[in-house]
DNA sequence: GTCTATAAAAGGATAGAC
DNA sequence: GTCTATCCTTTTATAGAC
């Protein structure tokens, strides 16, 4: 059980090693200044050797991000598909600034035109969105959210706030992302409960008027 | 009045032209793939000529972003330093995807270590934050928000949601950023009013329990 | 101010040998 | 699998003419 079946054992281990080193280099220099050459050197490969495992810089970075998602998903989301689970993912990101930076910069790079990672990020967004919708529905089931809320909209706002807070946090590591997300979540929850009790349509109000 | 005083007239006009062309190229290729050579060519300058105006790629992009901020600030923020003004800025961004992409990618690139634009983005954030705090205070004055809210926290969340929604929007141009921001704002407002009326501390609640 | 020319360094990607 | 060698492109920066 120490090695997986024959021919793939080494390749798999090497791939994992590359992913980890790639993350290390990105964390130090940023996605923009991390070069295949440097990653290859640190793994003890030539640049062409690196290309054997990942056909391009984009493939490599996608793989790094995918590995992160799989790890986080297994560790936080799946055991607890609620807002609390979501918060644990964000809180954990605090320990891996390199990943956060890679995610923001690479997804921005991929957002324009026909970039090789464009589809990857679209699909990833769908996935995160669905997960978040589940969290909202769980909160509705528990009564924290009212029944009339638009779960897709809340999910979008939640993800947006989390992404934007990560951008802020990259510039200033002292900000408390979790506290801010909790405040936002509580606001949406309160609003949704009032909608249910008072008027399903009203979303704005000027009480002192 | 057609030209500013003598020696600077041409330099100023040329700089403005370069900024506009740089934006055009970034909009097409993304900040990552826009090259000084191509920008210079399209302006009708050599690369060395371009470098005469902006000493580096970073300086040039900072200048593009600064010009945008000045324009938007004059057009939307200053006439209306409220949440509505904030929304008009966001809504306007819908018309300049290149700028949005440049902002997200370049700020992410600059967020790591000692990047030449790091300080620029930190200062810019301070500025946007202060502007947003003013919007929150205006909403408190009008009674839309309760008096006990943490305006800095609301401002951070508002900016985060706006930034994150722009990331989403870059990947999927069909999402309605303004509607989502309004929902979030309404939630925070409602929460803040309840805090004032019921209990200044409570931010979460499970009413059906 | 603007050009041509040019340098040295670095990036990504690929062909083909072992 | 892994390497060497090579290609093409980008970047910054400089020297020196007009």
């Amino acid at each position: 059980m120490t090695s997986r079946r024959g021919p793939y054992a080494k390749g798999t281990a090497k791939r994992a090693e590359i992913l980890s080193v790639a993350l290390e280099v990105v964390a130090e220099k940023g996605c923009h200044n991390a070069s295949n050459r440097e990653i290859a050197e640190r793994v003890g490969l030539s640049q062409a050797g690196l290309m054997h495992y990942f056909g391009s810089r984009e493939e490599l970075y996608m793989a790094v991000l995918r590995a992160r998602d799989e790890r986080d998903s297994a560790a936080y989301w799946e055991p607890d598909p609620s807002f609390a689970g979501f918060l644990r993912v964000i809180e954990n990101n605090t320990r891996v600034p390199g990943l956060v930076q890679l995610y923001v910069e690479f997804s921005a790079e991929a957002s324009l035109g026909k970039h090789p990672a464009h589809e990857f990020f679209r699909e990833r967004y769908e996935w995160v969105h669905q997960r978040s919708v589940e969290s909202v529905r769980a909160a509705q089931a528990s009564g924290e959210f009212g029944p009339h809320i638009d779960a897709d909209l809340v999910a979008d706002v939640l993800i947006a706030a989390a992404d934007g807070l990560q951008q802020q946090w990259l510039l200033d590591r002292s900000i408390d992302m979790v506290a801010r997300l909790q405040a936002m979540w509580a606001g949406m929850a309160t609003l949704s409960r009032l909608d249910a009790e008072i008027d399903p349509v009203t979303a704005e109000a000027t009480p002192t008027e």
Side-chain angles (χ1 to χ4, degrees), chain A residues 131-145:
Chain A
R131 279 269 200 284
S132 303
V133 166
E134 283 166 34
S135 298
V136 176
R137 296 218 194 288
Q140 285 181 302
S142 80
E144 188 182 8
F145 270 78

Side-chain angles (χ1 to χ4, degrees), chain A residues 59-70:
Chain A
E59 283 297 333
L60 174 55
Y61 291 166
M62 279 189 260
V64 172
L65 257 15
R66 234 186 300 252
R68 185 269 294 262
D69 283 338
E70 277 161 23

Side-chain angles (χ1 to χ4, degrees), chain A residues 22-182:
Chain A
L23 176 55
E24 197 179 296
V25 177
V26 169
E28 271 173 46
K29 322 252 221 179
C31 150
H32 185 70
N33 290 313
S35 73
N36 289 354
R37 272 189 177 79
E38 176 153 12
I39 294 167
E41 263 169 37
R42 290 211 210 174
V43 187
L45 273 182
S46 69
Q47 196 226 157
L50 180 67
M51 284 294 135
H52 172 74
Y53 290 95
F54 303 91
S56 68
R57 168 185 172 276
E58 284 84 10
E59 283 297 333
L60 174 55
Y61 291 166
M62 279 189 260
V64 172
L65 257 15
R66 234 186 300 252
R68 185 269 294 262
D69 283 338
E70 277 161 23
R71 214 172 5 81
D72 281 9
S73 187
Y76 307 112
W77 268 116
E78 269 150 36
D80 181 10
S82 70
F83 177 58
F86 185 94
L87 283 185
R88 294 198 59 198
V89 175
I90 298 300
E91 202 236 320
N92 180 256
N93 281 347
T94 277
R95 268 162 246 134
V96 284
L99 271 176
V100 174
Q101 203 271 345
L102 174 62
Y103 168 70
V104 179
E105 186 175 349
F106 191 48
S107 83
E109 179 192 327
S111 64
L112 222 51
K114 258 194 61 52
H115 189 283
H118 192 94
E119 227 5 63
F120 168 77
F121 280 106
R122 281 197 65 116
E123 277 166 26
R124 186 188 182 278
Y125 189 79
E126 292 291 306
W127 173 72
V128 176
H129 179 85
Q130 282 314 317
R131 279 269 200 284
S132 303
V133 166
E134 283 166 34
S135 298
V136 176
R137 296 218 194 288
Q140 285 181 302
S142 80
E144 188 182 8
F145 270 78
H148 299 305
I149 198 89
D150 178 343
D152 287 295
L153 183 146
V154 176
D156 283 343
V157 172
L158 174 61
I159 299 164
D163 284 348
L165 283 166
Q166 291 186 89
Q167 282 183 246
Q168 288 177 29
W169 175 82
L170 284 174
L171 286 168
D172 175 6
R173 303 288 161 97
S174 74
I175 82 148
D176 186 342
M177 298 191 278
V178 169
R180 277 155 183 71
L181 285 174
Q182 279 171 327

